[in-house]
Amino acid sequence: MSGIGPKRADLLEKELGLKTWEDLLYYFPYKHIDRSRLYRTCELTADMPFVQLRGQFASFEELGEGRKRRLVGHFTDGHGWVDCVWFAGIQYILHSVKLHTDYIIFARPTMFNDRINLSHPDIDVPESLILSQMRMQPYYHTTERMKKAGLSSRSVERFTSTLLRLVLDGVGETLPLYLVERLRLVDLGSALHNVHYPASAEELSKASYRLKFEELFYVQLSVLRYSRLRQGTIRGHVFAKVGDLFNEFFATRLPFELTGAQKRVIREMRADMVSGRQMNRLVQGDVGSGKTMVALMTMLLALDNGYQACIMAPTEILAEQHFATFRNMLGEMPVRVELLTGIVKGKRRNEVLRGLEDGTVQILVGTHAVIEDNVRFRNLGLVVIDEQHRFGVAQRAKLWEKNAVPPHVLVMTATPIPRTLAMTVYGDLDVSLIDELPPGRKPVKTIHMYDNNPDKLYSGINDQISLGRQVYMVYPLVKESQKMDLKNVEEAFVHLQHVFPQYRLSMVHGQMKASDKEAEMQRFISGETQILVATTVIEVGVNVPNASVMVIQNAERFGLSQLHQLRGRVGRGADQSYCVLVTKYQLSKDTRRRIEIMCETNDGFEIAEADLRFRGPGDLEGTQQSGIAFDLKLANLARDGQIVQLARDTASWVLDHDQNLADERNAILVERLRHLKKDEMDWSNIS
Ligand code: ADP
Ligand code: MG
């Protein structure tokens, strides 16, 4: 197909990542607008969505100066008048649009000076639009750069319609026929056509159902096939005994009674680890539910059976804290725990590495540094991944390569993962819930304040500190400008030193040297400082039970899950804790609602659900980050739960009947999986 040209092809690739004809065919519109109906000018109101009119321009008028310069076209259909307005491209309109000639115009009506305005309408000659065939017009996302180069949604529409005309007959099936029939799906050719150019809303929904199913089905097929393979052929270490370390710890060192949920989860993991199969378990427990203890006790089981264990944290601060907690909890017990992060260097690092190789280091605490290639264990039996639910299949697989028999894997997270997402990203993980908080916790009281009245806030902080408590003061990370971010925190630090001359303050932010960060953090943990001024580097995992106040500045800039994680830093002791959300006065409706939800509930699941509704799944853990090479184009994990389930059941059913996909009927599945994974298409490139 010609007509795109190298320049525009280049833009399509750079801006949208569309390289091949297939990419373009699978570049789906984000919405359709029903253009089957013509409105009359006298019917229009300002609250209508897009409308379509047929009529003529009676005159054009150029008005205003400078930035207010605009072209107004007076348009009538014989029933009334509307003003069409252009603020740019005026000359183009004057040259190309004729007076007293029939056009179909299309725009969203607005009200200006008591008259209906249509700004920058689409203009078509009626002959080019066959209304009976133009029922649903596709709208494609484009970018600023594309728009500047004249590549609009309408241009993409022209490409896809030409392309569909040319290739549709040659489109084969990408699912086995027996599945298409069994599930009464529309065939691929019709689905592709109708997802761009449906004749009705029903056709569109059938087409997108088929395509969504297919996307999800292949993800499930891949995930399930892999996990069955793992269960069938990959052996796991057998942790047969509960030994001295576990028992001694339980009897003499455990500082509190385990909650019922903690006990149950430890039992579930023990069952996995004696089964002879490799454990892959996700433990989900709200902030403060005591996951660290569960991790430590599971690691002791590994040690008792002669294996090493390691735990990976998302940040250095958290790794350091786990390290300190473990050393502290284990006390005099004969367990060698070491830390491996970016700041452990030189001689110290070599010592740790050597200890891992000869097996004398039994528990390693670290960051991503522990999956580097030069880190070799003597016999790694268990890996714990803390608060990194993005740590997907591929990264976990990397861990397994470290040993002939792969270690057991425990993933811990406070972020409630919607079931559909868990099935997709973690299709191969078993899930345990810690659905109980340690006793005696008082729910955190959450308060909303505006930033115009800091005195009230400061006096509250003062009251709490004089009771012996500590306070977090958190500032948002300004992504676009790390400098500004720093300025915020540093200025606040200086300011707060003036407000509270009687107290000592610590500060941590992302740009500090790791060793300084650790030192400042340590001053706060030990109680030497009363106020910790920080960016979100303390967002996850940090545990200072004596801190009872979490002040979040510019709370409007945080998402719900982030607010919940931050709030989870307090309420870890027996005292009444407070979370203060400080915002500016002017808030959007959504932001106000977010803040309200935070004030209403402490329940992580409720918050995660609300978050999913607010942000939509687009922001949800991208499946790309999950390590699965699939990219969901149409399916929406939040909305399409039923299709996810159907896809999973179907994939499971297919594998039940043909575990190795050896049946000739399933050849297409094998080929498709390979094709999707390869991520390179056989189709010729766009040019
Ligand atoms: P999270 O699940 O958020 O990682 P932590 O493991 O940091 O939670 O635990 C939060 C706090 O609760 C810690 O101070 C920990 O010592 C304490 N804790 C954990 N389990 C119990 C329990 N069973 N009883 C009392 N306190 C507990
Ligand atoms: Mg934790």
Side-chain angles (χ1 to χ4, degrees):
M1 186 181 90
S2 57
I4 293 188
K7 238 172 111 188
R8 293 197 289 181
D10 190 49
L11 260 182
L12 285 179
E13 175 169 357
K14 284 216 178 82
E15 296 294 296
L16 301 177
L18 305 179
K19 268 196 284 218
T20 64
W21 298 121
E22 186 180 6
D23 292 346
L24 188 54
L25 207 51
Y26 278 82
Y27 188 64
F28 300 137
Y30 65 94
K31 68 170 180 190
H32 287 84
I33 285 179
D34 189 348
R35 297 197 63 172
S36 57
R37 173 160 182 214
L38 281 176
Y39 284 81
R40 292 181 171 185
T41 42
C42 54
E43 293 176 278
L44 300 190
T45 60
D47 54 9
M48 283 181 169
F50 285 83
V51 296
Q52 186 165 241
L53 306 168
R54 182 177 181 147
Q56 305 187 342
F57 287 98
S59 62
F60 284 113
E61 214 180 338
E62 289 185 64
L63 298 171
E65 295 284 321
R67 279 182 48 227
K68 290 201 177 135
R69 208 168 97 84
R70 62 195 187 276
L71 177 71
V72 176
H74 303 286
F75 184 91
T76 179
D77 61 353
H79 301 281
W81 291 85
V82 290
D83 286 349
C84 296
V85 190
W86 291 266
F87 299 95
I90 292 176
Q91 289 313 314
Y92 175 78
I93 295 295
L94 286 175
H95 279 118
S96 57
V97 179
K98 302 187 190 90
L99 296 177
H100 314 297
T101 306
D102 256 16
Y103 287 111
I104 287 176
I105 63 170
F106 178 73
R108 184 200 293 278
T110 52
M111 194 63 107
F112 182 74
N113 281 348
D114 283 336
R115 287 172 68 93
I116 291 284
N117 264 235
L118 300 174
S119 106
H120 289 249
D122 284 355
I123 300 179
D124 288 288
V125 282
E127 298 74 51
S128 76
L129 288 178
I130 305 164
L131 278 178
S132 61
Q133 287 174 12
M134 273 285 308
R135 299 176 80 87
M136 304 276 278
Q137 187 180 1
Y139 277 73
Y140 299 90
H141 280 301
T142 56
T143 64
E144 255 345 284
R145 279 189 57 203
M146 287 173 66
K147 284 191 192 104
K148 281 209 186 95
L151 260 180
S152 60
S153 168
R154 293 299 286 274
S155 328
V156 179
E157 191 184 330
R158 276 194 296 278
F159 303 154
T160 55
S161 64
T162 314
L163 182 59
L164 278 164
R165 261 206 311 282
L166 288 174
V167 302
L168 214 52
D169 290 340
V171 170
E173 251 309 332
T174 42
L175 285 172
L177 215 57
Y178 75 94
L179 278 185
V180 175
E181 281 168 4
R182 185 186 159 89
L183 301 168
R184 297 201 185 84
L185 301 171
V186 291
D187 64 278
L188 181 65
S190 317
L192 283 175
H193 179 270
N194 295 346
V195 78
H196 291 276
Y197 300 98
S200 64
E202 199 197 344
E203 257 191 33
L204 174 62
S205 111
K206 280 193 177 144
S208 70
Y209 186 88
R210 138 93 209 210
L211 295 166
K212 284 176 183 180
F213 172 82
E214 181 170 343
E215 275 181 5
L216 295 166
F217 171 75
Y218 277 109
V219 173
Q220 291 301 332
L221 190 66
S222 157
V223 159
L224 285 179
R225 203 172 158 216
Y226 181 63
S227 86
R228 287 185 185 209
L229 181 77
R230 181 169 59 74
Q231 286 174 4
T233 61
I234 299 178
R235 308 299 302 161
H237 300 296
V238 178
F239 293 178
K241 59 180 178 192
V242 179
D244 294 344
L245 293 174
F246 186 93
N247 285 331
E248 184 187 339
F249 182 82
F250 192 80
T252 67
R253 305 277 332 165
L254 193 60
F256 36 66
E257 173 105 9
L258 291 177
T259 63
Q262 283 171 316
K263 285 188 202 154
R264 173 169 43 76
V265 171
I266 292 174
R267 267 202 308 275
E268 282 169 359
M269 284 194 281
R270 206 173 119 58
D272 289 347
M273 295 186 302
V274 296
S275 71
R277 285 191 275 112
Q278 183 214 9
M279 174 174 84
N280 254 278
R281 192 167 280 276
L282 174 74
V283 167
Q284 200 171 293
D286 207 350
V287 289
S289 61
K291 294 185 290 293
T292 317
M293 184 52 78
V294 169
L296 177 60
M297 295 187 67
T298 313
M299 290 199 279
L300 291 178
L301 280 174
L303 269 51
D304 274 338
N305 288 275
Y307 293 96
Q308 296 165 292
C310 91
I311 178 166
M312 273 174 58
T315 63
E316 285 183 344
I317 287 185
L318 195 49
E320 277 143 21
Q321 195 180 4
H322 280 333
F323 178 60
T325 306
F326 291 168
R327 283 214 154 162
N328 183 21
M329 293 239 186
L330 293 167
E332 299 297 299
M333 284 177 63
V335 177
R336 182 165 168 209
V337 187
E338 293 287 358
L339 177 71
L340 192 69
T341 62
I343 57 166
V344 181
K345 294 209 173 84
K347 203 165 145 250
R348 186 85 205 89
R349 189 177 189 86
N350 286 333
E351 263 172 41
V352 174
L353 291 178
R354 210 172 325 117
L356 288 169
E357 251 178 294
D358 66 22
T360 51
V361 172
Q362 294 158 288
I363 294 181
L364 179 70
V365 182
T367 48
H368 277 98
V370 307
I371 55 166
E372 282 167 17
D373 290 335
N374 63 352
V375 182
R376 277 183 293 271
F377 292 83
R378 177 143 178 271
N379 56 355
L380 181 62
L382 169 70
V383 175
V384 182
I385 299 162
D386 189 20
E387 301 290 3
Q388 304 189 73
H389 49 285
R390 295 184 184 190
F391 203 81
V393 179
Q395 284 123 312
R396 274 181 277 134
K398 190 163 175 188
L399 283 169
W400 303 357
E401 290 159 11
K402 288 191 170 292
N403 282 70
V405 179
H408 296 299
V409 175
L410 159 59
V411 180
M412 305 196 298
T413 177
T415 310
I417 300 174
R419 227 177 87 74
T420 49
L421 182 65
M423 268 200 261
T424 309
V425 181
Y426 285 129
D428 63 329
L429 280 184
D430 301 309
V431 180
S432 290
L433 285 183
I434 308 187
D435 47 5
E436 184 184 350
L437 291 179
R441 294 271 174 84
K442 292 197 184 73
V444 179
K445 278 201 181 124
T446 304
I447 301 156
H448 178 201
M449 281 185 182
Y450 294 113
D451 58 9
N452 54 9
N453 185 13
D455 289 347
K456 198 167 145 215
L457 173 64
Y458 295 154
S459 86
I461 288 176
N462 199 24
D463 291 348
Q464 286 292 305
I465 299 180
S466 50
L467 289 170
R469 318 255 201 278
Q470 290 165 282
V471 176
Y472 295 101
M473 183 78 85
V474 176
Y475 290 81
L477 238 139
V478 183
K479 272 218 191 76
E480 312 81 73
S481 153
Q482 298 195 320
K483 274 204 196 99
M484 207 162 111
D485 171 29
L486 196 58
K487 192 164 148 260
N488 267 344
V489 178
E490 282 178 336
E491 272 176 12
F493 183 69
V494 173
H495 173 69
L496 290 167
Q497 276 178 323
H498 284 296
V499 179
F500 299 109
Q502 69 277 38
Y503 300 132
R504 268 173 303 207
L505 283 70
S506 303
M507 168 167 67
V508 290
H509 55 72
Q511 257 100 87
M512 273 160 88
K513 272 207 348 235
S515 53
D516 294 345
K517 245 191 288 187
E518 189 192 349
E520 283 291 284
M521 205 54 218
Q522 210 48 51
R523 280 179 355 117
F524 186 67
I525 293 169
S526 69
E528 187 190 326
T529 58
Q530 289 81 40
I531 301 178
L532 176 68
V533 181
T535 54
T536 47
V537 291
I538 60 149
E539 182 182 341
V540 285
V542 169
N543 184 41
V544 182
N546 190 51
S548 68
V549 183
M550 165 63 65
V551 181
I552 306 174
Q553 298 284 354
N554 297 110
E556 69 273 9
R557 296 221 218 128
F558 293 89
L560 267 178
S561 324
Q562 222 181 352
L563 291 173
H564 182 63
Q565 263 289 353
L566 282 167
R567 179 169 61 183
R569 300 309 105 218
V570 297
R572 301 184 151 242
D575 308 313
Q576 176 63 58
S577 296
Y578 301 90
C579 173
V580 185
L581 305 174
V582 182
T583 68
K584 58 182 182 176
Y585 189 73
Q586 295 275 336
L587 296 177
S588 70
K589 209 171 96 204
D590 274 4
T591 309
R592 198 166 287 282
R593 188 67 203 123
R594 270 210 307 276
I595 303 287
E596 276 168 19
I597 289 171
M598 284 298 295
C599 295
E600 283 160 13
T601 181
N602 276 297
D603 182 334
F605 281 85
E606 247 175 73
I607 288 173
E609 259 171 38
D611 200 30
L612 197 57
R613 282 199 307 272
F614 273 118
R615 299 193 305 170
D619 285 342
L620 249 163
E621 309 316 312
T623 43
Q624 275 169 331
Q625 286 155 338
S626 75
I628 295 178
F630 301 115
D631 166 20
L632 298 180
K633 290 196 170 73
L634 269 184
N636 172 323
L637 293 174
R639 253 185 285 126
D640 300 321
Q642 274 184 325
I643 312 182
V644 177
Q645 188 65 56
L646 178 68
R648 187 173 184 85
D649 294 346
T650 309
S652 186
W653 176 81
V654 167
L655 289 170
D656 284 346
H657 289 83
D658 182 15
Q659 161 126 18
N660 297 315
L661 301 181
D663 192 328
E664 201 184 310
R665 294 192 311 168
N666 288 329
I668 194 169
L669 296 177
V670 179
E671 185 197 314
R672 228 25 228 169
L673 280 175
R674 202 177 300 135
H675 180 72
L676 290 169
K677 274 192 184 150
K678 203 171 50 181
D679 200 30
E680 63 180 41
M681 312 291 182
D682 300 324
W683 301 45
S684 58
N685 283 353
I686 293 176
S687 63

